[in-house]
Every structure is written in structure tokens, then in C-alpha cells.
């Protein structure tokens, strides 16, 4: 066996870590440490997906009560906005990745300067951090987007609205969508503005504001891809994402009734964006499906997220390799796993906090009713409207699969009681 | 929603935990804590399977380096043979379960007397701890077993061997199998004895010794079932288990070519044993498939294990609900998940330690060669012959599924280098 290393040239880990001496040795010599910044449910589920790989997982969490901090063995409590904290944390890691997109870019550059791989890196991540930068880049790439521009005040919003009117059309062009370029998520930092009067509010925070046309979409889709540093990329099937009140409610994989042509176009678009932006890890491209003037279906890019994403949670039970497992593989520059579905249909429905705190007692009904149900709870405090878990169901009959997921999620939330 | 609790009578958790006050509340109020004694890979994989349920998982591990201790958030380091340690550990747990069968029965009774549910309980567990007790119980139930009896010395072994000779047959009746009634696993504590001279060795430990006939079996099977305190039970498909050197090497689910009649007989036998022994949680019944004198296939019970078992690892990727998820559900008295397979064939091959310590570098080859491969590593020190992980593959073509699993396991071990 002595010649084995020689017969395997170019193996990254072998090059970076000298072969340990014979005798008593330990995997920890060569198995890498993935450092995850942020203790939310995405970190929790990434840890879960990383356990089978035998890697070490280290978490930087704001508090010990965070979703992931409850289940990870190696947890550092600290503030990701503090560079010294990040540097201390990164010292024991082979690579740094993220549960969220809020780590300041200058901190990530400092970590890179220290020699720690940051995946995705700051040059990619900025497109998920700043909607203005994202739109400018997608424009430069010729990627179809909603009509948009940075606006300076309420009057400028009115001007933007009017610019959208067809020649000779009546009205003022409202409503439009306003978004702060940084800090928004799940409908926060987003305003649906119907008039000049309503247009003032978003500017109060002093953050640049992006105006976007209100797209008359057919439905929302998401194209999820994962890309590795060596350039390999995989595309999950395009899914339909149904929002309620600006928050993802239901995801159906694959998107029902989507043509092969449109699905392929969406997947290729997401792969191209991942490549052009230099994404490493998971990229979710949230899309509007629209009807083009000639009646054919089209797509516009709504948002980008560079981390495992709610629209990919179905993959935990519905794909050969989950988005979380592939994110881990990507940040470690390992070959990616197969993203194809294992079932004809998989449905994910989010479980939101309701008025009743005791979700655990609802397990009895849900599990007894549907032995195939997949529950994924995050260990988070229940607050009304907060995402505290999701359920996955799969099968051949979409109506049945949808019914089962919605019943379970509703029962856990407390909106269904029988 | 105020009436919800009233409309859900008899919910165990709701009864035991008063509904918390409205206002800010936390899941930890009602989500139970599962205490796992033992830090091996079974605990590691049970933790992994418990994360989606949002339960709390607490581990008692001998050292911080154990397989499960690396990945669990709430770890107590201590010796499970010390009752005070066990009691301290159990104080924060809603239920206690096990990674192994070595906790003394009197300690378990003390915990039960303290009011802590122990699952499986000591009255069941003794059948997996003591092969003499197990054989006596199975005899009493009329369960088919290899010919056996407790033997007192080498001469008694010779007598036992001779008793197995057909009337008028030549020879001394050797070989026979000798087993210490306690403490054996993976071929340890088991002797293949060919002569009177070899029969002395097993008695040196001073532990009672069980003699068993050497069964001329067709193959080894395993019937895995999970049973809950309220009596619900599920049976996984019967699998074929291939041993090398007394250690499980390959498991094929379902057992190829098994008749529906024999599979059903094995499943019913395992369910019956689980019920009669009062098992809670996972029970593995290791079986010999034999040819009866009339030429029809038959089964004999070889061993029992009351915990998730190597012969059930395929279920992580091949069944709707894994043995680990169902073990957690069972010890919490939750309804059990569907044990049926998701694929035509699933194959598990164990990864044993070889001469080359750097298994991680082998990931590149294995993952690139087979994007559908499922690797499960335990974070254990690599020692030659030690189980350090396993791989699962699944698909429609058994030869292909077997090839892929064996190639990956061999490459990780270092016995295949291309």
C-alpha cells in the first residue's frame, strides 16, 4: 500500500497535508474543518448533511440558543460583524461558508488575505448582498430582469413609475416595488407602493433604494444550482415557489407543467449566472415566469441567494443529493452529487409559527396520519409567522402529495385541527 | 385556537407538560430530550436522524473523541458503568436509549426506579446482553435456533459435539461454535472449535460458555423491526447479510431471490420476538437461512441486537424511514415511519480500516466516479479491520448496485486503487 499516494497524483488534501506517520493515526489529520458563519436553520441542516461525510463542522453563532447551535458539537459564540471574532473563528477552519449573506465584504477580504478560503467569496457574495450591484451585473450580462433603477426620492419613484407606461397609456404607472439594496429578506425591506404618498417611507432608513416594476407574472419559479471552485456545477430541477405575504409557503419539484424548453432555459441561466459571478456553493435564482408579448413563456430574475435556500429544501427527501450535501461538497471542492429527483413529485411546505406553541404534540397526529411524511423542525422559538420548520412529501400523484404536505404543515401550525 | 388542546385529548406530551403560558415561549418547553448512552457510530447516526425532528439529543460518551461526541451539541463525558454518572446524565433526559448493550441491567433498573423511561428496558435488553438468557427465552417461545446448550468445560464441549451426530454416524461431531454468553461482538467472544484440544480456550475468561452447532447455512439474513411502547411495530424488508471474518461486509436489501413466504415468515418471527421480549426501539434478528431435511427453506435465529444495527444501515438511503429515525420515534412513543424501500435494490458495504489513513483523499475518486454514491463515515480512528464507515448505493440493477458499493468501499479502504 506504500505506493498508493504516488499512484494518486494531484489529490488536494494529500498535497496540503503530508501523509501522517505510520502507527496510530487519526482521521482528524486529514479530514477538513468546515466553518459555518451563522447559526440558523440552514447551518443546522448543513451540519446534518455533513455528518455522513465525516468532516468536522465548526459553527459561529450569535447565541447558544440558535437553531444550529443546539445540534452542532463545535460552537463558537460570537458576533460575525466583529473582524477579530471572525479571524479567531477562521483560524481552526479549512474553509468558511455561510448561513446568511450578512457578513461584511471587507471582513471576508481580510479572511482571504489571512489565507482562509471563503466560499462563496466576497466578489460573488456582493451580488446577493446588494440588489443594486446584482441588477447592474445582470444587466451587463444581458440577463432578463424586471425594469428597474436606483431611485433617489419619492418624486424619482413617480418618474420611474411613469416611465413604465406604454406610449399614450392613461394613469401614473403605479404600483411599483421598492427595495432597500441591502438587508432585506422574506418580504422585509420590500414595499409595494401604490402612490407618490406611499413612496416616501423606504427612504427613511437612509439606504439606497431600488425601484422595480411590479411584474405581472404567471407564477414564481426557482432555479437552484451548485458550483465548485474547480468549475463543476449541477442544476436541480426548476421548481415552482408559491409565496404567501412575501414569504415562501409551498415549493413543488419539478415545476408542474413547465416545458422542457423553459426548464432548460432557466437551468442554463442559473448555471451561467453562477459561473459569471464566480459563485462557489449553492445559488438560488428566484424567477418570475411571465407571458412574453408574443404569448410564449419567459423568465425574469427576481432575486439571488448564495447559500442553501428555502426553494431547495425539497431536495433533502426528494433528490438523490440534497442542496445541503452538495453545498458542503462544493465548498470543500469535492465532486458534486447527483441533483436529480428520486420521486415524480416532491412538495415542501413551510411550517410557520402560530398561536399554539406545542408543535411537538401535533407530531402524534401528523405521523400517524402519514407514515411517509418528512418533518424538518429547526428548534426555533415559535413566533407567529416565523419559519420554524418545513415538511416534505413525495409521490406519484401531485394532488395527494400537495394535500399531505399542506395538511401536516397546517396541523403543526394549528390552522388545521382535524 | 384556545380550544385546540381540548380538541386533542390524550396527547402524551401535552399531558406530561402543562401548556406553557402565552407570550414568549420556546419549543424547549415541550420538545423532549433523548439521552443516548454510548458515543459510537450508532449514536452519531441516531443524532443525525433526530435533528429534523427538532428534539434535543444528549450524549453520554466515554471520551470527547468518540464518533458521536464529535457531532453532538450536548455531550457529557463519563463512564456508563458508574451508576452515579448515569443518574446525573439521566436527570436531564425524558428517555434513555443506547448505542450499545453493555450498560449493566441493575443500573437500568435503578434509572427506572428513579422514574426515567429506559428504552429498551432491562427486561428486554438482557436478551441481547446474555446469549444464554436469549437462547432459553427463544426455546421457551418455540423459536427455531441452532442446537445449543451451556457447556462447562472442554469435555462437555466434546459431549455436546457428539450429541449432534446422527445415529450411527462416524466422527466426533466437531466443529462446534463456542460463545461467551456476554461481551462478544463482531466475531469477538466467538470461537470456531475443531477439536477437544481447541475447546479449552473459551473457558479461560471464567464467563459461562454457550455451545452451538455449526449451522450449514445457505446464507445469512437479517430481519429488522422497530417497536414502540404503545405496541406499534414495523418490519423492514428482510436483507441478506454477507460476513467476512465474522464481520458484516455487505448487506443487500431486500434479500435476493427470497420467497414471499420465507420473507413473511422472517418478518413475523422478528415482530413476534420483539413483542414477546417487550422490545422498544430497533431489534435486529440475525438469521441463518437453511435447507430443511425436506428441501424447503427454513430459518434459525443466530443473534439478537436491540439498537440500530449494521444490517439496517441501508435504510438511511434505501427506505422511506431509516432505522435511526424509527428508533428515535419508538423511544419517544411517536407513531412509526414507513419502513418500505425507496429503490428496487439497496446495497450497503462496510468500510474497514486499511493500511492507508487518508480516506478523505479517496473521496475525490469515489464521488467523481459515482455521483449517486452515499458515503457514511464515522469520524473514527482508522485501525486495520475496524469499521470506520459504510457506503450505500441503490438502483434497479443489482449487479451494478453491488459493483458500485464494493468499488467505493474498497477504494476508501485502499484495497482497490484504480
Amino acid at each position: 500500500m506504500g505506493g498508493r499516494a504516488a499512484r494518486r497524483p494531484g489529490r488536494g488534501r494529500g498535497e496540503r497535508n503530508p501523509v501522517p506517520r505510520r502507527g496510530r493515526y487519526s482521521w482528524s489529520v486529514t479530514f477538513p474543518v468546515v466553518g459555518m458563519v451563522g447559526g440558523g436553520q440552514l447551518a443546522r441542516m448543513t451540519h446534518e448533511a455533513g455528518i455522513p461525510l465525516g468532516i468536522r463542522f465548526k459553527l459561529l453563532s450569535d447565541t447558544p440558543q440558535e437553531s444550529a447551535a443546539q445540534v452542532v458539537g463545535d460552537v463558537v459564540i460570537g458576533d460575525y460583524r466583529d473582524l477579530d471574532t471572525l479571524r479567531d473563528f477562521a483560524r481552526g477552519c479549512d474553509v468558511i461558508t455561510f448561513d446568511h449573506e450578512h457578513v461584511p465584504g471587507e471582513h471576508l477580504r481580510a479572511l482571504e488575505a489571512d489565507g482562509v478560503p471563503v466560499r462563496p467569496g466576497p466578489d460573488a457574495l456582493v451580488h446577493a448582498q446588494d440588489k443594486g450591484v446584482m441588477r447592474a451585473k445582470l444587466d451587463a450580462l444581458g440577463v432578463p430582469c424586471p425594469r428597474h433603477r436606483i431611485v433617489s426620492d419619492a418624486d424619482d419613484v413617480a418618474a420611474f413609475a411613469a416611465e413604465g407606461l406604454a406610449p399614450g397609456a392613461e394613469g401614473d404607472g403605479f404600483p411599483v416595488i421598492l427595495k432597500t439594496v441591502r438587508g432585506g429578506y422574506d418580504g422585509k425591506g420590500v414595499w409595494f407602493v401604490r402612490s407618490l404618498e406611499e413612496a416616501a417611507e423606504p427612504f427613511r432608513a437612509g439606504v439606497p433604494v431600488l425601484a422595480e416594476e411590479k411584474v405581472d407574472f404567471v407564477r414564481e419559479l426557482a432555479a437552484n444550482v451548485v458550483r465548485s471552485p474547480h468549475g463543476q456545477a449541477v442544476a436541480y430541477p426548476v421548481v415552482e415557489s408559491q409565496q404567501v405575504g412575501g414569504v415562501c409557503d409551498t415549493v413543488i419539484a419539478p415545476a408542474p407543467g413547465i416545458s422542457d424548453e423553459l426548464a432548460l432555459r432557466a437551468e442554463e441561466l442559473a448555471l451561467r449566472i453562477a459561473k459569471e459571478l464566480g459563485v462557489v456553493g449553492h445559488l438560488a435564482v428566484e424567477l418570475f415566469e411571465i407571458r412574453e408579448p408574443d404569448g410564449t413563456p419567459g423568465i425574469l430574475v427576481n432575486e439571488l441567494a448564495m447559500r442553501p435556500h428555502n426553494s431547495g429544501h425539497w431536495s433533502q427527501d426528494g433528490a438523490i443529493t440534497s442542496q445541503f450535501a452538495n453545498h458542503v461538497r462544493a465548498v470543500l471542492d469535492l465532486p458534486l452529487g447527483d441533483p436529480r429527483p428520486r420521486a415524480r413529485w416532491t412538495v415542501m411546505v413551510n411550517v410557520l409559527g402560530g398561536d399554539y406553541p406545542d408543535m411537538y404534540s401535533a407530531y402524534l397526529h401528523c405521523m400517524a396520519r402519514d407514515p411517509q411524511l418528512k418533518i424538518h423542525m429547526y428548534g426555533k422559538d415559535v413566533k407567529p409567522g416565523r419559519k420554524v420548520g418545513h415538511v416534505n412529501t413525495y409521490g406519484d400523484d401531485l394532488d395527494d402529495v400537495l394535500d399531505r404536505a399542506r395538511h401536516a404543515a397546517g396541523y403543526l401550525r394549528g390552522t388545521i385541527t382535524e
Side-chain angles (χ1 to χ4, degrees), chain A residues 319-366:
Chain A
I320 295 171
T321 312
S322 79
Q323 65 167 349
F324 299 103
N326 262 337
H327 184 76
V328 172
R329 291 187 184 206
V331 302
L332 289 170
D333 208 7
L334 290 168
L336 301 177
D338 194 329
R340 286 178 298 171
R342 288 192 74 172
R344 174 79 187 87
W345 298 108
T346 304
V347 167
M348 189 256 10
V349 177
N350 278 325
V351 177
L352 303 186
D355 289 331
Y356 193 80
D358 184 14
M359 290 208 179
Y360 183 73
S361 74
Y363 278 18
L364 289 182
H365 170 87
C366 293

Side-chain angles (χ1 to χ4, degrees), chain A residues 87 106-118 122:
Chain A
R87 277 195 155 128
E106 62 268 27
H107 288 5
L108 301 181
R109 285 183 214 290
L111 295 181
E112 285 189 329
D114 291 347
V116 183
V118 173

